[in-house]
Amino acid sequence: MFDGMSARGWEDMNAKRGVVTLTLVTMLWGTTFPAIKVIMKLLDATSYAGYRSMIAALAMLPLIGKKAFENDRVLKGGIILGLLYFTGLALQAWGIKYTTASSAAFITSFNVPLVCLLEVLILRRRPSRELLISMMMAVLGVLLLSLEPGSYRLSYGDIIVLACTIFWALQVIFIDRYSRECSVIPLAFMQLMISGVVGIALSASLGEPVRLDFSSWILLAYLAVVCSSLTCVLQIYGQRYTTSTQAAIIYTLEPVFASAFSSILLGEILTARQYAGAMLIVVATYMASKT
């Protein structure tokens, strides 16, 4: 009986650790939108995704051990995740260039039901009723937080962000699959390296110039080291202890953090509707963490 209670205690502790870790990931993601807006005035989407990923991978090199890639699953998983990560990153940057951050946040929230569907189809897991309620609350919360009533019009950038959402959803699913089988840092490194190689190769083949000033290189380094190297490691680690749908619901906190940073740094004021949306997302995340 004691052993059973002890095992249950460890399981609960790991679940909380996963939720806290993924919440930190979304907080860091929430800082990326302004930086991406600046970078995308100077770079094309493939160069941006490629150089961001390559810098992130190189930053992780000191952490890679000699036996890091003896597991074939690391190589296979890294290739799959790297291709998904590059495509999602490039499409996100391309889409943000032609739409607003609020519209991008709203469309990205459709990642939640999409992940839920893919989890059933690919991983053969059915979400609980409580998790489905959390999912609907999270999407509604993002709607209230991101969009003004009657203001939404589908744009060219929105369609690109919608395509990006499909690849992010697939990435969440495949991280779920490989995070439990592979060492975290080698898998994160391989994902970023593959993304970097693909992006830089495509950029070179298209003859796209790279013209960044010093401050833009600093922004790109921040996006690479903090918002790619660190978040990829934390995402893989955190998803070991959550389901894909739970993780997707937690990721809807990203626009909440983005709004909070905008309020603190830029003096933007949230309306009562936006506060209600943020609270719905927080409650949905709490409910999802308890299922």
Side-chain angles (χ1 to χ4, degrees):
M1 182 176 178
F2 178 78
D3 289 341
M5 290 177 64
S6 178
R8 178 65 180 179
W10 277 108
E11 185 178 330
D12 290 343
M13 184 180 295
N14 284 335
K16 290 176 182 177
R17 189 179 297 160
V19 171
V20 171
T21 302
L22 295 183
T23 300
L24 177 58
V25 169
T26 62
M27 184 182 72
L28 294 173
W29 283 346
T31 68
T32 62
F33 283 103
I36 293 173
K37 278 283 189 182
V38 172
I39 294 295
M40 288 308 295
K41 293 177 182 177
L42 303 169
L43 287 178
D44 66 289
T46 54
S47 296
Y48 158 74
Y51 281 96
R52 173 175 166 175
S53 299
M54 184 58 72
I55 293 170
L58 293 176
M60 294 183 68
L61 268 179
L63 304 177
I64 304 299
K66 294 180 180 179
K67 298 182 179 180
F69 305 106
E70 289 183 353
N71 184 352
D72 291 341
R73 300 291 286 174
V74 170
L75 298 176
K76 182 179 178 180
I79 291 171
I80 293 172
L81 292 176
L83 293 174
L84 292 173
Y85 186 75
F86 166 76
T87 309
L89 205 59
L91 288 174
Q92 180 191 52
W94 188 20
I96 287 175
K97 190 174 182 179
Y98 298 106
T99 190
T100 64
S102 60
S103 292
F106 170 61
I107 293 170
T108 303
S109 71
F110 287 104
N111 181 50
V112 182
L114 188 55
V115 166
C116 183
L117 176 63
L118 291 174
E119 188 168 23
V120 173
L121 295 177
I122 297 176
L123 301 179
R124 304 298 181 187
R125 291 195 204 127
R126 289 187 177 182
S128 65
R129 182 177 62 182
E130 291 80 6
L131 205 56
L132 290 173
I133 293 172
S134 300
M135 178 184 70
M136 290 185 286
M137 288 176 61
V139 174
L140 177 59
V142 176
L143 172 62
L144 292 173
L145 179 63
S146 304
L147 298 181
E148 292 287 343
S151 67
Y152 186 70
R153 298 290 186 277
L154 190 67
S155 70
Y156 173 68
D158 294 334
I159 296 171
I160 298 171
V161 174
L162 184 60
C164 153
T165 299
I166 297 171
F167 287 94
W168 285 146
L170 285 168
Q171 191 207 23
V172 170
I173 293 296
F174 280 97
I175 285 179
D176 188 304
R177 171 173 289 180
Y178 287 102
S179 64
R180 292 166 171 81
E181 305 174 348
C182 304
S183 297
V184 173
I185 291 177
L187 183 61
F189 171 81
M190 182 58 65
Q191 169 183 275
L192 291 167
M193 181 58 71
I194 293 296
S195 176
V197 169
V198 171
I200 291 173
L202 280 175
S203 177
S205 67
L206 295 172
E208 298 290 353
V210 177
R211 297 170 183 165
L212 296 179
D213 56 24
F214 179 75
S215 60
S216 297
W217 277 112
I218 295 297
L219 279 179
L220 188 59
Y222 169 76
L223 288 169
V225 177
V226 176
C227 302
S228 284
S229 297
L230 180 57
T231 58
C232 282
V233 170
L234 293 175
Q235 184 182 12
I236 292 170
Y237 175 78
Q239 279 196 227
R240 280 183 170 182
Y241 307 112
T242 63
T243 67
S244 297
T245 301
Q246 283 176 317
I249 291 171
I250 294 169
Y251 295 152
T252 60
L253 285 169
E254 181 179 356
V256 176
F257 285 118
S259 297
F261 285 125
S262 296
S263 178
I264 295 168
L265 299 176
L266 304 176
E268 295 182 1
I269 299 174
L270 297 182
T271 65
R273 174 183 51 79
Q274 289 175 312
Y275 275 115
M279 286 303 300
L280 267 178
I281 295 171
V282 171
V283 172
T285 301
Y286 177 78
M287 288 176 59
S289 71
K290 295 298 181 181
T291 58

